[in-house]
């Protein structure tokens, strides 16, 4: 038995989540609000938050420069902006990119002498308090301590995390995902599904992380059955069935985020990072295209096969169907040369994730997988 568990973020959920969480914002003098360029405004979350800060007499500075796959240099700039403004609170609103960036800004904003690359040093002792508000249902970043950043020089992803990089509160209002396109909804849901299956198979999984992984995976699988190949399936947001799907995806993504907080992710994640950075494939699709290979390799191990069968049975399906449907939903058609494949694999070959599954893939396996999928 393993019943170990730690996740210190208080989660508020539902259409009144922000009001319920108002106490989390009070008592602060100045917040820095970290967002992407458009979506926090478009979905209404930014107006809701600034309205609440005005009521509570908390001043704020908007830092809306976070792009997809957030650059370390931009997070550093955000930290300096927080220091100049005298910020004592960081509020992240957006998909995984602004939420991960908010964690880094909370570290730079509390440590004026911290240099850019020193953020990956685990001994950071203080960070500004953080509140995270997701507007995608995918990464679960609001409920874990990972901050996936992109290094400006090497164009590779590197994860920052420490004991302090958890939000004190996460606010889950599915309404904020209503403006997300069908394509991004599918991609972010695929990311969450990958978190669930990769966490469930991880040797570090516990009874609690496994429960969360199964909870999330089942909700997402059922949502896929309802909306697959129907690009207009989510457009009528007055329809209660559509709202229920949005709410299910949001709680499922958060569950996946908590599950990987215990376990980490498996090999689809690092292999997918190269597709995102070099071929511009969104993160969720980039990971999900490897799910079939992930199932196939892990089924070679007795423990892996048993876990995959349990996982599929919980979803009332078969391992083969998951291995077919998830990459099919990712829908990536990409053609790479042998040289490109070597470059894509070499840049992620040393990731720690490879040992985090019953079957441990080696360099040749990685090349074979890339060749099977992309030549
Ligand atoms: P994202 O990169 O945050 O956003 C993708 C796009 O969706 C952006 O153009 C964004 O616009 C738009 N968008 C976001 N919310 C929207 C809404 N409600 N309506 C309309 N458009 C919206 O996407 P993501 O998939 O959520 O995050 C991916 C990042 O998270 C990657 O860097 C990945 O490595 C990382 N990640 C982190 C974890 C973790 O545990 N911390 C786990 C998995 C992945 P704007 O730019 O205008 O905001
Ligand atoms: Fe992910």
């Amino acid at each position: 038995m393993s019943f170990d568990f730690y996740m210190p973020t208080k989660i508020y959920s539902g259409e009144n989540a922000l009001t319920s969480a108002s106490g989390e914002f009070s008592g602060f003098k100045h917040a820095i609000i970290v967002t992407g360029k458009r979506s926090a405004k478009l979905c209404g979350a930014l107006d809701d938050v600034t309205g609440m800060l005005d009521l509570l007499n908390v001043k704020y500075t908007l830092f809306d420069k976070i792009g997809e796959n957030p650059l370390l240099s931009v997070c550093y700039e955000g930290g300096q902006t927080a220091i100049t403004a005298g910020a004592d609170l960081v509020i992240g609103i957006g998909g995984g990119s602004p939420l991960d960036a908010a964690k880094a800004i909370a570290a730079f904003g509390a440590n004026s002498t911290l240099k850019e690359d020193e953020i990956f040093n685990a001994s950071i002792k203080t960070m500004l308090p953080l509140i995270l508000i997701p507007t995608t249902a995918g990464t679960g970043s609001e409920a874990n301590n990972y901050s996936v950043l992109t290094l400006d020089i090497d164009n590779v992803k590197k994860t920052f995390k420490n004991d302090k990089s958890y939000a004190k509160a996460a606010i889950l209002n599915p309404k904020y995902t209503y403006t997300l396109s069908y394509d991004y909804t599918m991609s972010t849901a695929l990311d969450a599904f990958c978190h669930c299956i990769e966490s469930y198979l991880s040797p570090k999984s516990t009874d609690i992380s496994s429960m969360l992984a199964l909870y999330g995976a089942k909700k997402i699988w059922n949502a896929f059955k309802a909306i697959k190949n129907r690009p207009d399936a989510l457009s009528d947001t007055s329809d209660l069935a559509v709202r229920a799907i949005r709410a299910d995806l949001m709680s499922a993504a958060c569950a996946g985020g908590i599950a990987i907080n215990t376990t980490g992710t498996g090999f689809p994640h690092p292999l997918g990072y190269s597709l995102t950075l070099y071929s511009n494939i969104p993160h969720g699709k980039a990971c999900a295209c490897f799910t079939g290979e992930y199932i196939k390799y892990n089924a070679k191990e007795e423990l892996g096969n048993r876990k995959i069968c349990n996982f599929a049975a919980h979803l009332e399906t078969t391992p083969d169907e998951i291995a077919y449907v998830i990459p099919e939903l990712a829908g990536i058609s990409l053609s790479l040369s042998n040289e490109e494949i070597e470059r894509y694999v070499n840049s992620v070959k040393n990731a720690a994730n490879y040992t985090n599954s019953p079957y441990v893939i080696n360099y040749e396996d990685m090349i074979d997988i890339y060749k099977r999928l992309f030549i």
Side-chain angles (χ1 to χ4, degrees):
M1 175 190 103
S2 173
F3 209 65
D4 300 2
F5 187 67
Y6 178 69
M7 208 290 288
T9 304
K10 190 159 176 186
I11 294 172
Y12 297 85
S13 65
E15 300 234 337
N16 296 317
L18 187 65
T19 311
S20 309
S22 62
E24 302 287 347
F25 296 81
S26 64
F28 292 98
K29 291 192 179 69
H30 197 120
I32 178 162
I33 305 176
V34 179
T35 71
K37 298 207 169 38
R38 281 182 66 239
S39 67
K41 300 175 187 90
L42 183 73
C43 74
L46 182 63
D47 277 352
D48 288 354
V49 167
T50 54
M52 165 157 295
L53 295 177
D54 288 340
L55 279 176
L56 294 169
N57 278 323
V58 181
K59 294 190 170 53
Y60 57 83
T61 299
L62 178 63
F63 187 78
D64 60 0
K65 297 187 180 175
I66 307 301
E68 292 181 39
N69 311 301
L71 285 173
L72 177 58
S73 60
V74 179
C75 297
Y76 182 79
E77 184 191 335
Q80 303 317 300
T81 305
I83 291 169
T84 307
D88 56 356
L89 174 68
V90 180
I91 302 170
I93 307 175
S97 298
L99 301 195
D100 285 0
K103 294 174 188 175
I105 289 170
F108 288 124
N111 298 279
S112 59
T113 57
L114 191 68
K115 298 196 176 77
E116 280 191 24
D117 57 350
E118 287 173 352
I119 196 169
F120 301 105
N121 176 345
S123 70
I124 293 172
K125 296 273 187 304
T126 46
M127 289 191 32
L128 295 176
L130 255 176
I131 298 175
L132 297 179
I133 306 176
T135 65
T136 62
T139 69
S141 174
E142 67 276 7
N144 64 44
N145 67 345
Y146 303 122
S147 165
V148 186
L149 305 176
T150 300
L151 304 186
D152 299 64
I153 297 171
D154 307 337
N155 198 24
V156 292
K157 287 192 176 230
K158 193 164 175 182
T159 300
F160 144 67
K161 69 166 184 152
N162 69 36
D163 291 348
K164 305 280 182 308
S165 55
Y166 291 97
K168 76 187 190 95
I171 294 164
L172 270 56
N173 186 341
K175 187 179 79 173
Y176 296 147
T177 63
Y178 291 178
T179 49
L180 195 64
S181 68
Y182 177 82
D183 208 42
Y184 263 116
T185 300
M186 293 302 279
S187 181
T188 47
L190 284 167
D191 183 26
F193 189 88
C194 290
H195 295 162
C196 292
I197 190 168
E198 291 168 37
S199 176
Y200 189 76
L201 262 66
S202 164
K204 295 184 209 152
S205 63
T206 67
D207 290 359
I208 296 184
S209 69
S210 299
M211 276 193 286
L212 287 159
L214 292 177
Y215 165 92
K218 184 153 189 172
K219 279 188 182 289
I220 298 165
W221 186 254
N222 287 342
F224 283 154
K225 282 202 281 193
I227 65 176
K228 184 180 160 196
N229 300 327
R230 292 181 51 218
D232 60 351
L234 296 166
S235 43
D236 181 4
T237 53
S238 65
D239 181 341
L240 291 182
V242 169
R243 289 176 176 223
I245 290 172
R246 287 290 190 190
D248 275 354
L249 289 176
M250 185 151 255
S251 62
C254 188
I258 305 172
I260 59 168
N261 188 54
T262 299
T263 60
T265 51
F267 77 67
H269 264 74
L271 292 188
Y273 287 165
S274 294
L275 294 182
T276 296
L277 292 178
Y278 309 138
S279 294
N280 215 15
I281 310 277
H283 172 70
K285 292 184 179 191
C287 298
C289 71
F290 295 107
T291 299
E293 296 291 329
Y294 180 70
I295 288 175
K296 203 167 74 192
Y297 276 92
N298 280 298
K300 294 180 184 186
E301 297 290 331
E302 197 254 320
L303 175 65
N305 193 40
R306 188 153 32 91
K307 283 194 165 193
I308 290 164
C309 290
N310 284 345
F311 184 88
H314 186 80
L315 271 52
E316 298 176 59
T317 183
T318 61
D320 283 351
E321 192 179 10
I322 299 173
Y324 177 78
V325 167
I326 297 299
E328 189 202 25
L329 288 175
I332 295 174
S333 75
L334 189 66
S335 169
L336 298 174
S337 65
N338 282 319
E339 293 72 32
E340 284 171 316
I341 286 178
E342 275 187 32
R343 179 162 72 91
Y344 283 39
V345 169
N346 281 337
S347 79
V348 293
K349 68 179 178 191
N350 296 323
N353 312 53
Y354 302 115
T355 55
N356 197 21
S357 307
Y359 182 94
V360 178
I361 60 168
N362 59 31
Y363 183 78
E364 283 70 38
D365 294 329
M366 295 175 210
I367 295 280
D368 284 349
I369 291 170
Y370 254 84
K371 284 189 172 168
R372 263 197 303 282
L373 296 182
F374 304 121
I375 281 194

